[in-house]
Amino acid sequence: MTQVKVLSDKPALIAHALDLIVDKIHTTLDQQAQFTIALAGGSTPKPLYEALAQKSLPLEKIHIFWGDERYVPGDHPDSNQRMARQAWLDQVDFPTVNIHPMPTGRNDPSVDAQTHNQELQEFFGVKTGELPTFDIILLGMGDDGHTASLFPQTEALTVSDRLITVGNKDGQPRLTFTYPLINNARCVIFLVAGDNKRPALAEIFSPNGDETLYPAKAVKPQGELLWLLDEAAGAQLK
Ligand code: 6PG
């Protein structure tokens, strides 16, 4: 099921996403013992993470992952892990074992990608060829239509035999969830704000859009797909 919601501005988008996520955490934990969420990087979700830090949540039952990571140390200014820790995770009492960052320390992205692939298999108790199911995967979208670190016309778009692969942004390596892992989620939530995202959104919501040029278009989860847009990004889609 795909739903597109256009909110009046970015604060309204963040507030709506916050309510949605907090509600999903509670309803999911009524049914199962733990909740798994993969965080998006970039700048859009930072105020959402800051707002989540103000909420009283059953942190011991929530497990945090990332959908992609720049191939830099965890304390580097470009690190998605660092952003989420500063905005949320280090502001509250998360058990350390509940935070599962993408490893970037082996000086070889493909080795670290394989390591994280195994870490996910162990955590979710799945074998090679089986797919874990995240409760929520948060995604952003670049103005080129990329999502996670699945960039236009890159090899990562074609990887379907593993959970984690090496993405490539202008020659800079990144670790990223693959499409099969993303599309096996119970719920994928895109957070997209700003008029610079309009052209890519027009392509993604066009029947003729090219998925290799606009990779976010190929996100078609088995579960829910929610696009949360601000007016600046999504006015033409209303
Ligand atoms: C990253 C993100 C990336 C991001 C988009 C949108 O590591 O940068 O995972 O996919 O979500 O580039 O970024 P903004 O939210 O900053 O526009």
Side-chain angles (χ1 to χ4, degrees), residues 49-50 58 64 69 86 118 122 134 149 154 181 186 198 201 212 220:
Y49 303 155
E50 290 166 341
I64 303 288
E69 184 57 276
Q86 287 184 339
Q118 285 164 345
E122 284 161 24
F134 277 87
S149 282
T154 58
L181 178 56
R186 278 195 191 85
R198 273 192 194 192
L201 285 171
T212 63
K220 300 166 186 164

Side-chain angles (χ1 to χ4, degrees), residues 41-44 68 70 80 140-142 146-148 174 197:
S43 59
T44 303
D68 78 316
R70 291 83 181 276
N80 289 334
M141 188 198 74
H146 84 262
T147 191
R174 298 197 169 181
K197 308 291 175 83

Side-chain angles (χ1 to χ4, degrees), residues 82-97:
R82 179 177 183 265
M83 183 273 275
R85 283 185 180 279
Q86 287 184 339
W88 179 19
L89 310 181
D90 290 354
Q91 310 310 321
V92 294
D93 195 17
F94 256 110
T96 307
V97 293

